[in-house]
Amino acid sequence: MNNSDQPIEALLDEERLFPPPKECSQNANMADPDVYQRASSNPEAYWGQAAESLEWIKKWDRVLDWEPPNAQWFVGGKINVSVNCLDRHVRTWRRNKAAFIWEGEPGDERVLTFGDLYREVNRFANAMKRLGVKKGDRITIYMPMIPELPIALLACARIGAPHSVVFGGFSAESLRDRINDAQSKLVITADGSYRRGQVVPLKQNADAAIKECPCVEKVVIVRRVGDATSVNMENGRDIWWHDAIANLPAYCEPEAMD
C-alpha cells in the first residue's frame, strides 16, 4: 500500500492493543487498571500519594506549580536520591539482599548486598569530600562497567555533586569536550577496561583529555586491568580509588537536595 499521499498524522493512527500475559499482569507492581483514570482525573493527588513511598528530608509544600510551559514538582521538598536507593533498605531485611550481581568480561565476579553498597557509597562520598568536592561541584565519570561506576554515581548524589557519565568507548577529544562543558572539578576513571577481548586505555585517554581541561583538580583511578607501574600518575592530582577510600568512615551525611 502506498501511503506517500497521506499526512503524517494518518500514519500515527494506531488502534491495535497488545495485552501482556496474564501472569505478568498479576505480578505487576501496579496491577489495578483504574490507576490510569485516577492519575488523569487528579494528577496532583495521585503523584502526591506516590511520593509518600519515598523518604523526604523535608516534605514538599505543594505537589505542583505549573505555568505552561514551566513545571515545578514537589515545591519546597528536600530529598536525597542515595538515601532512597540505600539507607531506607539497609534498615530492613534487604540489608543482606543482593543489590548488584556483577560479572566482568574476563569472568571475574562480585556480589554486593545493599549493606555492602551502602558502605562503599558512603566511603567514596567521604573520599570526594576529602578531595575538596562540595555540593554543586561537577564530576565527570569515564569508567568501565564495573561496580565502582554505580558506587560513584550514588556517592555523587549523596554529596549533591552533579555528575556527567561519559561512555568508556569515547575518544580523548570527546571526553575533553564534555569535561569542559561541565567544568568538572573531579574526574573518576580506571586504568583501563576490557572490551571485546581488548584493553581500552582509559587513564591514557583521560590524561590526554585533561591536558586541555584547566578546570580539573583531581583524578581518581580504579585499578581494573594492570599493575600500578604501567599507569602514569600525576603527583598531587591523581589518586588510586583504594587509597582515596582507605580508613574513611562508612557513613556520610546526605545533602538535602531540591
Side-chain angles (χ1 to χ4, degrees):
M1 177 178 175
N2 186 352
N3 293 321
S4 60
D5 295 330
Q6 296 187 44
I8 292 177
E9 289 78 3
L11 301 179
L12 297 176
D13 187 14
E14 175 60 84
E15 296 182 355
R16 292 175 297 168
L17 296 176
F18 301 89
K22 186 177 181 180
E23 60 273 15
C24 179
S25 298
Q26 290 173 338
N27 294 318
N29 289 329
M30 195 64 71
D32 181 4
D34 294 334
V35 66
Y36 300 104
Q37 177 59 36
R38 295 200 306 272
S40 62
S41 62
N42 192 338
E44 291 189 40
Y46 176 81
W47 289 110
Q49 182 181 15
E52 293 283 0
S53 66
L54 300 176
E55 285 193 8
W56 293 81
I57 297 170
K58 175 184 177 296
K59 191 172 179 180
W60 59 90
D61 301 316
R62 295 179 304 285
V63 173
L64 176 64
D65 273 353
W66 192 0
E67 295 183 14
N70 300 312
Q72 285 186 299
W73 285 91
F74 304 108
V75 180
K78 298 291 182 181
I79 197 168
N80 187 281
V81 170
S82 79
V83 169
N84 282 278
C85 290
L86 298 173
D87 300 50
R88 68 188 181 118
H89 297 305
V90 299
R91 292 194 292 267
T92 73
W93 61 271
R94 290 191 183 89
R95 182 181 189 87
N96 296 317
K97 178 180 172 62
F100 282 107
I101 302 173
W102 173 84
E103 182 175 345
E105 185 172 310
D108 45 341
E109 299 176 353
R110 286 178 69 186
V111 177
L112 293 174
T113 65
F114 278 96
D116 296 331
L117 191 58
Y118 173 82
R119 289 187 291 272
E120 295 298 323
V121 166
N122 277 272
R123 286 196 180 100
F124 191 63
N126 281 324
M128 287 193 289
K129 291 177 73 172
R130 186 163 67 175
L131 291 173
V133 178
K134 302 182 298 297
K135 179 179 179 179
D137 288 338
R138 275 79 65 200
I139 311 296
T140 292
I141 298 172
Y142 182 61
M143 295 178 73
M145 291 184 287
I146 54 178
E148 285 82 1
L149 173 57
I151 289 168
L153 303 184
L154 288 166
C156 286
R158 196 164 192 90
I159 64 174
H163 60 265
S164 168
V165 179
V166 179
F167 171 48
F170 279 1
S171 66
E173 292 76 18
S174 297
L175 175 62
R176 174 201 63 201
D177 293 344
R178 286 159 175 79
I179 292 173
N180 284 328
D181 283 347
Q183 286 294 289
S184 293
K185 185 174 184 176
L186 172 70
V187 173
I188 306 168
T189 188
D191 54 356
S193 67
Y194 297 104
R195 187 169 180 81
R196 298 178 181 176
Q198 303 296 317
V199 172
V200 180
L202 294 182
K203 178 58 164 60
Q204 183 177 317
N205 292 345
D207 285 342
I210 293 168
K211 285 180 181 178
E212 300 179 59
C213 300
C215 53
V216 174
E217 298 177 9
K218 298 289 183 180
V219 180
V220 176
I221 308 101
V222 177
R223 186 179 296 170
R224 171 68 180 132
V225 300
D227 65 90
T229 59
S230 64
V231 178
N232 173 60
M233 299 290 284
E234 291 290 330
N235 188 38
R237 186 196 72 182
D238 297 351
I239 183 170
W240 289 106
W241 176 291
H242 57 272
D243 289 333
I245 65 172
N247 302 317
L248 287 178
Y251 179 75
C252 177
E253 186 71 22
E255 289 286 347
M257 306 298 293
D258 290 332

